[in-house]
Amino acid sequence: MKSIIQLTLALGVLLFSGLTFAKGVMVDDPYVRAIPPGQTISAAFMMLKNDSDKVIDLIKATSDSAKNVELHEHVHEDGMMKMRQISKISVAPKGDTALKPGGYHIMLIGLVKHIQPKDVITINLEFSDGSKQEIRAEVKKIMMGMMKGKMSMKKGMKFKQHANPMPNLMAVFKMMGDQLDLTDEQKSKLKAGIAERSPKVNELYASIKNLEKEIYEATLNSESLNKIDQLADKLMQARLALIKGKAGCRESAKEVLNDKQFQKVVELYRANRMPKPTKMDAVQAKAKLMKHVNPLPNLMQVVKKRADQLNLSKQQATDLKKWRDERGPVTQKLATTIVKLEVELLEAALNNEPVAKIDQLADSIMQSRVKMIRGKTLCRDNMKRILDNKQYAKVIALYKKM
Ligand SMILES: [Cu+2]
């Protein structure tokens, strides 16, 4: 009995001390990036969890494995990712802060010996509450994580190109501003303009993305033509607003810059930022074009490629083929028109055509885009008429697997 009481007491002390330890920052999952031979710089990442009711900062890190250890963050500056030293990394009360590739990290500079995966690096951390911790971080290969980050950045850029046919002149200021001989006043005006417009522009990108997703899903979920029309209408309004915003952006840049500088912006854009045609075969090119002009799922593709799995009657096969032969060229022509108009719009913006001209082209683009969505929805509905319910359900199932 006595021993049980002793045990309980001991357990209580253990638990209690455990709790006191937990009042502070806990470190989870620390690791160090593996590096190629010859390189002497690496970084450590981890999750910092603050269990207390006060902000606690990581204020210092040291390690016997590196001559110099610094706290760093990554920032977007002039359109580029840069890292810089910071004095602390804060962890909010009851919150956590991730040290991760592309964000906060502990920089290990001048590694005393080459590090390899599975090696364990000891790092000493000091916090603003006076506590210190020694952590052991395993060396890991994290190339995949970096590539994912780069890929998602590329994907983001591609989406912007898809959503916005206007030239991105802001990118020229951000990345090549030094070639424009800007005065300080011009710089601060441009910066203020960008800061003012960015939130609205980002909001529009997000709503275009969401609406296209909604249209896509509404089609698969057999929503009515009317419902899809409504979504298409909203989508076109967002696309128009984005073009108008970008046109306004150009106008305000013209107010800030002199003619020569604006001409230089256009030159730099043409030389560096024009969307480049990527190498691909005709089939890939067509698929890419269709994805750009049509947010709906391409159900016809299923009928074309997986017809053997649909148990079509002769009549059904004939009807579908007839419809496809009829609609195919119409769709193709519409797709070409949209892209042609978008190129015209880009050129008009660069050639300093008036905003009215840009508006007019934008309207034509949206009319064609609406026609495309409408046509594709009719296509779906016609397919539903030709097929029986079971077959149509099969088309959807097969599409989702493609
Ligand atoms: Cu760094």
Side-chain angles (χ1 to χ4, degrees), residues 72 83 105 107:
H72 276 198
M83 57 184 185
H105 54 279
M107 205 76 194

Side-chain angles (χ1 to χ4, degrees), residues 53-188:
D53 302 318
K54 277 183 250 161
V55 177
I56 299 178
D57 305 325
L58 172 63
I59 51 171
K60 195 178 175 188
T62 54
S63 173
D64 288 341
S65 301
K67 287 178 194 146
N68 196 2
V69 181
E70 294 176 356
L71 306 179
H72 276 198
E73 73 174 341
H74 269 109
V75 283
H76 278 285
E77 220 174 84
D78 306 326
M80 299 226 287
M81 283 283 263
K82 289 178 180 172
M83 57 184 185
R84 64 170 178 221
Q85 190 177 5
I86 46 176
S87 59
K88 61 181 185 186
I89 296 172
S90 298
V91 194
K94 304 281 177 207
D96 44 45
T97 298
L99 277 61
K100 60 179 184 200
Y104 293 120
H105 54 279
I106 294 171
M107 205 76 194
L108 305 166
I109 301 159
L111 290 161
V112 294
K113 71 175 190 66
H114 183 63
I115 57 169
Q116 293 186 54
K118 297 263 155 84
D119 283 356
V120 173
I121 307 288
T122 303
I123 301 168
N124 296 292
L125 305 178
E126 287 182 43
F127 295 93
S128 57
D129 63 347
S131 64
K132 290 180 185 178
Q133 275 189 58
E134 185 186 284
I135 55 151
R136 295 165 61 77
E138 195 183 305
V139 177
K140 283 183 186 171
K141 277 191 187 169
I142 50 169
M143 287 305 282
M144 280 319 285
M146 279 168 65
M147 297 221 311
K148 253 189 227 158
K150 270 189 194 153
M151 259 155 77
S152 75
M153 237 165 95
K154 217 172 169 182
K155 237 177 158 180
M157 262 165 62
K158 279 208 175 128
F159 179 77
K160 284 184 178 177
Q161 276 180 11
H162 160 68
N164 167 38
M166 290 283 282
N168 187 3
L169 300 179
M170 286 301 135
V172 176
F173 300 129
K174 281 187 189 165
M175 301 183 78
M176 287 164 270
D178 52 329
Q179 295 179 52
L180 296 172
D181 290 322
L182 299 167
T183 65
D184 285 344
E185 200 196 341
Q186 285 178 320
K187 270 186 209 165
S188 70

Side-chain angles (χ1 to χ4, degrees), residues 6 23 40 42 51 96 124 143 145 150 157 175 186 214 227 233 242 252 257 308 331-332 360 381:
Q6 268 175 345
K23 284 279 177 206
T40 56
S42 185
D51 220 33
D96 44 45
N124 296 292
M143 287 305 282
K150 270 189 194 153
M157 262 165 62
M175 301 183 78
Q186 285 178 320
E214 267 186 70
K227 166 83 183 172
D233 203 49
L242 187 57
S252 62
L257 304 176
D308 54 320
T331 306
Q332 188 60 43
Q360 190 198 324
D381 291 345

